[in-house]
Amino acid sequence: MSMHNRLRVSHLVAAFVTSIGTSVLVGVPGWAATFSSSEATFEVNNFSVLPLDVTALHDAKTQVIAPDGLVKSNADADALFLTDALNQSSSRASGSSSSVVSGSGNSYFGFAQSIAQVVGYSFQIGHGETFSFDFTNSLNLQTAIDQPGIETATAIGTIGLGLFDAADPNNLTLLDFLTIAGSLGTPGNSNALTVDQSAGITFSTRQTALNSALDGKQASASASVQGSLSHFFANPTSLLLVEYGSNQAAAAVPEPSNVLASLVCLGLLGLRFWRKPKLKQP
């Protein structure tokens, strides 16, 4: 696969990613404490066919503003894709990403963003063959505040898996997908957790939970799925597999003068991280 096509493929994850939202935050004098966490892990194994080439990418970004407070932003990510033609059962791809922000005081802003991504290129499928593999995915989000109306904490996370027909590298077609997406905002009532999949995805276990405290001070969301992907091909083709975990966490008690800076930071990080190419879907 040419370098141009490899670079193009490396940004496919952007087509699935849920971007972090922004809203105007109003600072109120007083001591405050917040916590926000978003974590994702994934693993793919038991491939029926191994790819001819692989990549594993990870990145992490943080941003803090603390004119009158304390704030800590931590972002970590790791990814690997191991293949062994002599011992195919040991081949696997995995990744983990974590974004955590905590703060205290009467004026601060913290943001953390992380991503782990694996790509398998050129799975060569023959006439009448079935391509398959197993997967395990887990997403966990948490937000907590002490004083509703003063503090704000948000957590967003996405795990995405996409299988593409790559017979024509310049015209990729999405065949199967799995997306786990969650978002929390404290305070707020827009918390959400969704699991979407195509017909080729089968779950052996699926557990989800979305909890919001009645006092508006805490929220949590978790999803854990285990299963397999199986797709039959009548004609020979070449496949491409992408899986990623993306996490964002933010906590703030900003003064009005810091609102614009906070929004600009979110926007610039989002533009730098995610570009959105168009994908052909059947």
Side-chain angles (χ1 to χ4, degrees), residues 3 27 31 34 66 148 163 179 195 247-248 260:
M3 179 61 67
W31 190 262
T34 59
L163 179 66
T179 303
V195 178
N247 303 90
Q248 300 90 30
L260 180 59

Side-chain angles (χ1 to χ4, degrees), residues 63 117 144:
Q63 178 73 31
Q117 174 186 346

Side-chain angles (χ1 to χ4, degrees), residues 173-230:
T173 300
L174 180 62
L175 301 175
D176 281 297
F177 67 91
L178 168 63
T179 303
I180 304 173
S183 62
L184 299 178
T186 306
N189 56 5
S190 59
N191 299 333
L193 179 65
T194 60
V195 178
D196 297 312
Q197 80 272 11
S198 62
I201 299 288
T202 302
F203 294 133
S204 56
T205 62
R206 170 176 167 167
Q207 297 178 332
T208 60
L210 178 62
N211 301 302
S212 298
L214 295 178
D215 58 7
K217 294 183 179 181
Q218 298 182 21
S220 64
S222 63
S224 178
V225 299
Q226 187 172 7
S228 62
L229 182 150
S230 180

Side-chain angles (χ1 to χ4, degrees), residues 83-147:
T83 60
D84 186 347
L86 299 179
N87 184 13
Q88 186 164 321
S89 62
S90 67
S91 300
R92 65 187 181 92
S94 63
S96 63
S97 54
S98 172
S99 299
V100 181
V101 178
S102 61
S104 62
N106 57 17
S107 178
Y108 61 86
F109 169 79
F111 177 74
Q113 185 166 2
S114 56
I115 183 171
Q117 174 186 346
V118 295
V119 183
Y121 301 88
S122 301
F123 293 86
Q124 299 301 308
I125 309 301
H127 172 79
E129 289 186 357
T130 296
F131 176 65
S132 65
F133 58 80
D134 297 332
F135 59 82
T136 301
N137 295 339
S138 177
L139 179 67
N140 292 282
L141 310 178
Q142 183 179 353
T143 56
I145 62 174
D146 285 338
Q147 303 178 52

Side-chain angles (χ1 to χ4, degrees), residues 15-73:
F16 302 109
V17 170
T18 301
S19 299
I20 188 168
T22 60
S23 60
V24 175
L25 306 174
V26 179
V28 178
W31 190 262
T34 59
F35 176 80
S36 177
S37 173
S38 177
E39 299 177 330
T41 61
F42 62 83
E43 181 170 341
V44 183
N45 53 31
N46 292 329
F47 295 98
S48 62
V49 176
L50 294 182
L52 299 183
D53 196 7
V54 300
T55 60
L57 308 171
H58 55 89
D59 200 3
K61 309 287 184 182
T62 61
Q63 178 73 31
V64 297
I65 302 173
D68 190 12
L70 300 174
V71 61
K72 296 177 65 176
S73 295

